[in-house]
Amino acid sequence: MPADIARAVRWLETASLTMQDLNDTKAVRPALDALALRLDGKQAGANTIRRKRAVLHHLFEYAVELEELPSNPLHRIKWKVPKTTETVDPRVVVNPRQARELLIALTYVGKRQRNGKGRAGG
């Protein structure tokens, strides 16, 4: 095994919890709380948190299947997805100039043709 890979494996072994530790809900709760954060420490979105929790749940279920854990520790923890404030991304909202242009464009939609028959464009 290359030296850099061996170093990474050693670090993982020392930084990781044992399977026995994972059976303790006191060790699992901080993991759930960490799921609610982005890498920059800010609150993650609700869908992201749900997706991450689902992955963690399936990992624990797999450990139970392999008989590494007696039961899924998430089943013993009362934890809800933290409420997040839904903010609108200003990059996807029209600005005042675009809104004016859209409203002006709407005045051209559905005008009657000059001969009074039907509507223009449809």
Side-chain angles (χ1 to χ4, degrees):
M1 174 180 324
D4 58 337
I5 302 290
R7 275 193 311 276
V9 169
R10 279 194 304 277
W11 179 85
L12 284 169
E13 289 172 344
T14 58
S16 299
L17 297 172
T18 66
M19 293 305 282
Q20 186 176 357
D21 291 336
L22 291 175
N23 198 38
D24 184 1
T25 56
K26 291 178 204 158
V28 175
R29 182 170 286 284
L32 283 172
D33 294 337
L35 295 178
L37 301 175
R38 300 184 328 195
L39 289 176
D40 63 5
K42 294 180 182 175
Q43 182 77 28
N47 288 338
T48 299
I49 298 168
R50 282 189 197 93
R51 188 178 66 250
K52 288 178 178 180
R53 188 198 176 281
V55 170
L56 184 62
H57 180 270
H58 291 301
L59 287 170
F60 283 136
E61 288 295 317
Y62 185 60
V64 171
E65 181 182 321
L66 295 178
E67 298 180 353
E68 296 289 336
L69 289 174
S71 64
N72 188 331
L74 293 180
H75 295 168
R76 298 188 307 269
I77 298 174
K78 291 184 181 179
W79 186 83
K80 291 183 181 178
V81 174
K83 294 191 187 231
T84 58
T85 56
E86 295 294 327
T87 57
V88 177
D89 185 347
R91 294 173 296 178
V92 297
V93 178
V94 296
N95 61 41
R97 181 189 56 77
Q98 292 169 323
R100 275 190 303 276
E101 289 176 6
L102 285 169
L103 290 173
I104 290 169
L106 284 175
T107 65
Y108 295 103
V109 175
K111 287 208 177 224
R112 294 212 174 260
Q113 294 178 2
R114 290 184 194 189
N115 62 9
K117 295 182 181 177
R119 296 200 177 262

